Amino acid sequence: MHIFVTGASGWIGSATVGRLVEAGHHVVGLARSEDAAATVAACGAEPVRGSLDDLDILRTQAARSDGVIHLAFRHDIAFTGDFQGAADTDRQAIDTFGDTLEGSGRPLVVASGTLGLAPGRVGTERDRPDPSSHPRIANAYAAIALADRGVRATVVRFAPTVHGDGDHGFIATLVDIARQSRLSAYLGNGANRWPAVHRLDAADLVCRAVEHAPARSILHATDEEGIPIRDIADAIGRQLGVAVASLPAADAAQHFGFLSGFIGVDAPASSTLTRELLGWRPSQPGLLADLDAGLYTPASAA
């Protein structure tokens, strides 16, 4: 297949491109900079310069492809306060891909997340949260609705923690906070759970989705259903040699910064239906194993 990938140089995207190339696909990856283009090329794909705002490029590359994987999101503006702007750009890209692929039966795989899916219980692929609760949920529904227009549209909900060597996401941020404050903290009793998946297992699922997933599939990229935050804090504390302790909710913002809105959420999520549908079998180490192996706390930085 000739596959166009947005976010091709990113954390999940670069692993996905590598997996697709290994499977024999020709991959074209969107790259916003020369450095991003070099990363895409190093993964064995053909880079094309542009951004999610370049709708003509999105149309052209989608029209030339046998399928599209849309992993890019404007995290650069989302994390600086303009989340709605980032979501609007995401929706514009989804709509553009839908218009281009309409009636073709070709696949469109769109990224979403499991965080907030079913607070306090294990979320499943059958859960359909209120689209008004979050812009990215609304965007995922818009993608799935493209199946009514002849697009083999699927959504992959990623765990909030996609871990592995080189991760700069939530877990790396928690490690940095613990290193700087000399405290690996959690809220309350720390029993709230986060699902997790290794980056390479997530990439394998995306590859299976573009190759085989039926239209309207909602898939969960979650290997570990839910790891208590206290266990994550303990592992970080062991590796850094710092204290591990509970903090009151009132201190969350000061200690955790932008993560304060997530750190106390109980958000386990199952991938049972995804595994049954696509034969996905995660095989990489779990999150705590990666932490205990020192991937997030190299000796030179501890």
Side-chain angles (χ1 to χ4, degrees), residues 225-277:
E225 191 171 275
I227 306 168
I229 290 294
R230 170 63 190 263
D231 292 351
I232 296 173
D234 282 340
I236 293 172
R238 285 195 303 272
Q239 286 296 310
L240 292 177
V242 302
V244 179
S246 170
L247 290 180
D251 294 341
Q254 180 177 359
H255 184 82
F256 293 108
F258 82 91
L259 280 182
S260 62
F262 309 107
I263 195 68
V265 173
D266 186 40
S270 167
S271 60
T272 298
L273 299 179
T274 297
R275 297 176 194 230
E276 292 175 353
L277 179 66

Side-chain angles (χ1 to χ4, degrees), residues 7 40 65-66 84 97 120 125 146 169 181 253 259 267:
V40 171
S65 75
D66 298 313
Q84 187 59 56
F97 291 137
E125 295 89 338
L146 293 171
S181 66
L259 280 182

Side-chain angles (χ1 to χ4, degrees), residues 101-293:
L101 299 175
E102 183 172 8
S104 70
R106 286 177 283 170
L108 170 63
V109 179
V110 172
S112 189
T114 65
L115 195 61
L117 180 63
R121 66 170 175 81
V122 177
T124 78
E125 295 89 338
R126 292 195 177 100
D127 279 307
R128 300 293 187 271
D130 184 347
S132 67
S133 65
H134 196 280
R136 292 205 76 178
I137 293 174
N139 289 357
Y141 288 147
I144 289 296
L146 293 171
D148 295 332
R149 296 167 55 193
V151 180
R152 180 160 63 84
T154 65
V155 167
V156 178
R157 293 171 175 161
F158 291 95
T161 296
V162 181
H163 60 91
D165 193 8
D167 176 18
H168 295 289
F170 285 170
I171 298 302
T173 301
L174 287 176
V175 170
D176 286 343
I177 291 169
R179 180 182 289 115
Q180 293 169 19
S181 66
R182 308 306 296 169
L183 174 65
S184 182
Y186 54 91
L187 297 184
N189 63 9
N192 62 296
R193 300 153 291 174
W194 276 10
V197 66
H198 194 281
R199 171 180 179 245
L200 298 181
D201 287 324
D204 180 60
L205 177 57
V206 176
C207 187
R208 290 169 184 265
V210 76
E211 290 174 336
H212 306 300
R216 298 184 178 85
S217 296
I218 292 183
L219 309 171
H220 278 191
T222 59
D223 176 15
E224 297 171 284
E225 191 171 275
I227 306 168
I229 290 294
R230 170 63 190 263
D231 292 351
I232 296 173
D234 282 340
I236 293 172
R238 285 195 303 272
Q239 286 296 310
L240 292 177
V242 302
V244 179
S246 170
L247 290 180
D251 294 341
Q254 180 177 359
H255 184 82
F256 293 108
F258 82 91
L259 280 182
S260 62
F262 309 107
I263 195 68
V265 173
D266 186 40
S270 167
S271 60
T272 298
L273 299 179
T274 297
R275 297 176 194 230
E276 292 175 353
L277 179 66
L278 295 180
W280 181 56
R281 298 291 181 268
S283 61
Q284 300 298 317
L287 173 59
L288 296 182
D290 271 0
L291 283 166
D292 288 337

